[in-house]
Amino acid sequence: MGFDRREFIKIAGLSALAGLGSRAAFELLGPGELEATSVSYAAKESALTAKRWAMVIDMGKCLPEAGCKDCMERCHRIHNVPDFGNPKDEIKWIWKEAFAHAFPEQESEYLAEHLHHEPFVVLCNHCAHPPCVRVCPTKATFKRKQDGIVTMDMHRCIGCRFCMAGCPYGSRSFNWRDPRGKNAQGEPFLKEINQEYPTRNKGVVEKCNFCVERLAEGKIPACVEACRHGALVFGDVADEHSEVRQILREHYTIRRKPELGTDPSVFYIV
Amino acid sequence: MLYDAGKIIAGLVIFAAFFTVPFWYGSDKTSEMPKLELTAKAKQAGQCVEPKEQMRQNHMQLLDDWRDAAVRDGNRTYTNSAGKSYTVSLQNTCMDCHANKDKFCDRCHGYMGVSELYCWDCHLDPTKEKNLWASTDGNS
Amino acid sequence: MLEKALRGSRGYWLWIALLLGIIGVGFLFYLQQLRDGLTITGMGRDVSWGFYVAQFTYLVGVAASAVMLVMPYYLHDYKTFGKIVILGEFLAVSAVSMCVLFIFVDLGQPFRVMNVVLHPTPNSVMFWDMIVLSGYFLLNIIIGWATLGAERKGVQPAGWVKPLIYLSIPWAVSIHTVTAFLYAGLPGRHLWLTAIMAARFLASAFASGPALLIILCLIVRRVSRFDPGKEAIQTLAKIVAYAMITNVFFLLLEFFTAFYSGIPGHMHSLQYLFFGLDGHGKLVPFMWTFVVLAAVGIALLLVPKWRRQENLLAAAAAAVVVSTWIDKGMGLVVGGFIPNPFERVVEYAPTGAELLITLGVWAIGFLILTILYKVAVGVKEETAA
């Protein structure tokens, strides 16, 4: 026999390698093409759609309501965002930062009084060129082709936190501990739970998803719906007849760190 | 000729013992195959999103497909081979009918030895989470 | 050849037992981390990479430095390195193993690590880092084992080894370049956003790796009958000296660009590291330790009559190892996150559990190193006899 043990091991090893590698190669060339189905998947007819979802935050309407937290509370409740009670482990999707911190390069000691130390609402900017997507090694964070929303596949996240290093806006939070756990006093980190939305498990990153799950049902994002002062406007910035485009035409708006080339989709009227 | 025969045989014995641990470990236990139990709602519906046999064999593949369709492609409506449509959601569609996760999912998964699923680390177990939070509220 | 690692003196087995003990302790704390999450570390939402990633970055450099032996020996036929080139290759193997482990213990979902292979993502530098690191690991273990095996039999290595050796030279450069790109391509992290990051990484690698190798050579000579050779060690010392000077020069370039341009973002992290920022300065003493040790190391290595005294040489090598570790490990990784994107200073310090897990991984690396070196030295002793 011309087939000795050495030869056999060589061939077996190589075939195993080829087998492991080929699936990866197929995935790379045409994701999902390995499986064929006879059934169909589609977006709901009632779903809200856009080419590029964007948000305009009118600080003229927001700032006078200094103590208002409606948008944040609604968002965090709907998405089961836990409250760990310490800044190190903190998870947040939408929150307030003083102007000097939200726009550090714009800060000046002679800035208009009404802006200086006032809190600005900040959230994920759903960048057109998102660094978090660029760096993610598993495509767990990805930009939706249909509407530009930068969202996450929690099933796939390995918790390497490269995206947190990549995001220049501090918009990403890691689950340093189990969000379903309890603190030393035995109180759950999730005070109440929305049965229609999952929680996360420890060890994955999360962030604002522009309410993809609500848009799919034909509802606007929770924060926009919660704002009683009309300070948050959500719409398709690629549609020149949309409300956000109308506002952007008529007002001077700024974005956070546009010089980094990320092209944020959240605009501020100051 | 066998060099170091003693060592080799001892090694083989240890290997065999290790290799058969699952059999020794489970030798005193016998478990009956669990019976599938449906909720009233599931019984009334008559059929899942696909025929029973198909679900029994392929539910894991379907759940994977649903996951990718909803999360990655944003396609949250599933139209089955019979033309009927469902909302793609483990928590809100599957568990709406199969609200008895402990009986419907866990018993069989436990029996088959595939209970280490991480679905419920994030998705809410309709039989559990409500109680969990209620009990902590009640105590305080 | 592995059987050589199964026979050793009492001291050898005590050392192995000590390493296994440390590994055991580290493993216990890793189990705690698996259960409770990474909250048991000092990392948080602002400094989201810490001690683990710092060790990873440092050790990629140590691994890459094997090229400083391979290149002179195989490419320029510098025979003096013939005896120790295997020590460099096996050091690389052990260093890459630690790199992989440090990434693993840093993951929030370690059991999903294969997702990087199942969902290959070429736009992520981490994907490429995985490829170059695993490739480098294989190259060095294969080359090392094949050449050592041939040496034992007193024959030339097989023909296929040569091309692999030549491949390993650019590959060594690639592992540290790609690792630098993990950092250098991120907008908004000013300390890292520098075109000379890869060059700095390579310079500090070619200082730290050979410095560590000098210490290892001195130890090997003491505990075995194998002598790596005075001249080889002296050549290593010169390599360390000039690499370290280049490394410090590159750092000074960073200082010039940041402080002469006066752009706040470029200055902040350096200010934090060396002088403190907004009243926070936990790392300042460490960074000045780096400065002093770097200066001492360079001085001792540059002056021939000091360099030739082996006590001073060992001290100089140790100074370089520690100073590059502070600079490239802690300083670079942690400093990059401070101030945070909101220009707030949130500091970081590793916790006890984090330190013990780190120590455990180092112990695994040293265990691998000890076994490989035992084999290599055993073969050398055998062929010399």
Side-chain angles (χ1 to χ4, degrees), chain C residues 39-313:
Chain C
T39 185
I40 69 158
T41 69
M43 293 183 273
R45 64 168 295 124
D46 294 297
V47 182
S48 46
W49 280 342
F51 220 57
Y52 301 147
V53 174
Q55 312 302 316
F56 158 79
T57 311
Y58 179 75
L59 286 165
V60 175
V62 171
S65 72
V67 75
M68 285 287 104
L69 298 170
V70 171
M71 198 155 62
Y73 179 62
Y74 287 107
L75 223 50
H76 299 287
D77 203 23
Y78 182 67
K79 294 270 194 305
T80 319
F81 276 170
K83 286 168 98 177
I84 58 166
V85 75
I86 186 74
L87 299 184
E89 285 160 351
F90 281 171
L91 176 60
V93 170
S94 137
V96 177
S97 315
M98 285 189 265
C99 291
V100 172
L101 284 170
F102 274 117
I103 291 296
F104 189 80
V105 298
D106 189 63
L107 292 181
Q109 287 286 337
F111 301 118
R112 295 186 192 167
V113 67
M114 287 314 283
N115 279 2
V116 180
V117 182
L118 293 172
H119 308 286
T121 312
N123 51 274
S124 173
V125 182
M126 204 170 279
F127 169 74
W128 293 106
D129 215 32
M130 178 205 68
I131 290 182
V132 292
L133 281 176
S134 42
Y136 193 66
F137 176 85
L138 288 176
L139 277 175
N140 276 287
I141 192 78
I142 292 171
I143 293 170
W145 209 259
T147 49
L148 196 64
E151 189 179 330
R152 188 188 189 188
K153 292 184 194 124
V155 296
Q156 284 294 311
W160 51 263
V161 179
K162 255 297 161 55
L164 289 186
I165 289 171
Y166 292 137
L167 179 64
S168 80
I169 293 170
W171 204 289
V173 178
S174 84
I175 65 166
H176 223 19
T177 305
V178 174
T179 304
F181 286 175
L182 286 176
Y183 300 98
L186 304 178
R189 302 279 180 194
H190 297 288
L191 184 68
W192 298 339
L193 191 70
T194 166
I196 61 163
M197 183 64 91
R200 275 180 69 191
F201 269 31
L202 286 165
S204 88
F206 296 157
S208 61
L212 190 56
L213 205 57
I214 289 175
I215 298 173
L216 291 171
C217 282
L218 295 175
I219 293 173
V220 163
R221 203 176 56 189
R222 181 163 290 195
V223 300
S224 78
R225 281 175 285 131
F226 168 59
D227 182 7
K230 248 194 162 62
E231 201 194 327
I233 294 177
Q234 284 298 313
T235 310
L236 278 179
K238 283 177 232 165
I239 290 174
V240 176
Y242 291 104
M244 193 61 189
I245 291 171
T246 314
N247 182 32
V248 170
F249 174 66
F250 284 163
L251 182 67
L252 292 172
L253 295 184
E254 301 280 14
F255 267 91
F256 172 80
T257 305
F259 287 91
Y260 194 80
S261 72
I263 299 173
H266 290 269
M267 297 191 291
H268 282 156
S269 292
L270 290 173
Q271 277 170 335
Y272 168 73
L273 287 174
F274 287 89
F275 313 108
L277 189 65
D278 300 344
H280 300 279
K282 261 188 199 166
L283 285 181
V284 173
F286 289 95
M287 294 317 286
W288 287 100
T289 308
F290 149 67
V291 171
V292 171
L293 288 179
V296 168
I298 288 173
L300 289 178
L301 289 168
L302 262 190
V303 179
K305 75 165 186 258
W306 289 341
R307 182 172 68 221
R308 287 196 203 104
Q309 294 179 43
E310 265 172 12
N311 287 340
L312 287 182
L313 176 64

Side-chain angles (χ1 to χ4, degrees), chain A residues 116-146:
Chain A
H116 214 73
H117 297 292
E118 295 302 328
F120 274 57
V121 173
V122 293
L123 65 158
C124 170
N125 279 297
H126 295 276
C127 306
H129 308 294
C132 55
V133 172
R134 199 181 304 148
V135 300
C136 178
T138 62
K139 304 188 196 80
T141 295
F142 59 100
K143 196 178 104 171
R144 303 215 304 178
K145 284 189 201 82
Q146 63 268 42

Side-chain angles (χ1 to χ4, degrees), chain A residues 24 27-28 87-92 95 97-98 100-102 104 122 131 133-139 154-162 164-174 176-178 201-204 256-257 260 262, chain C residues 33-50 53 106-110 112-127 181-183 185-190 192 337 340-344:
Chain A
E27 274 290 320
L28 202 58
K88 177 173 154 313
D89 294 335
E90 189 178 16
I91 292 179
K92 42 194 178 183
W95 69 102
E97 288 284 349
H101 295 293
V122 293
V133 172
R134 199 181 304 148
V135 300
C136 178
T138 62
K139 304 188 196 80
M154 296 298 175
H155 310 90
R156 202 179 272 191
C157 177
I158 60 172
C160 71
R161 310 189 296 291
F162 202 1
M164 296 177 78
C167 176
Y169 303 107
S171 297
R172 299 186 143 265
S173 309
F174 182 71
W176 298 99
R177 54 197 311 176
D178 186 359
N201 52 347
K202 67 172 180 290
V204 296
R256 293 176 64 202
K257 304 185 184 178
L260 299 179
T262 53
Chain C
Q33 182 182 299
L34 271 185
R35 190 192 61 197
D36 298 343
L38 283 154
T39 185
I40 69 158
T41 69
M43 293 183 273
R45 64 168 295 124
D46 294 297
V47 182
S48 46
W49 280 342
V53 174
D106 189 63
L107 292 181
Q109 287 286 337
R112 295 186 192 167
V113 67
M114 287 314 283
N115 279 2
V116 180
V117 182
L118 293 172
H119 308 286
T121 312
N123 51 274
S124 173
V125 182
M126 204 170 279
F127 169 74
F181 286 175
L182 286 176
Y183 300 98
L186 304 178
R189 302 279 180 194
H190 297 288
W192 298 339
F337 288 102
N340 72 5
F342 300 98
E343 304 246 324
R344 281 203 184 86

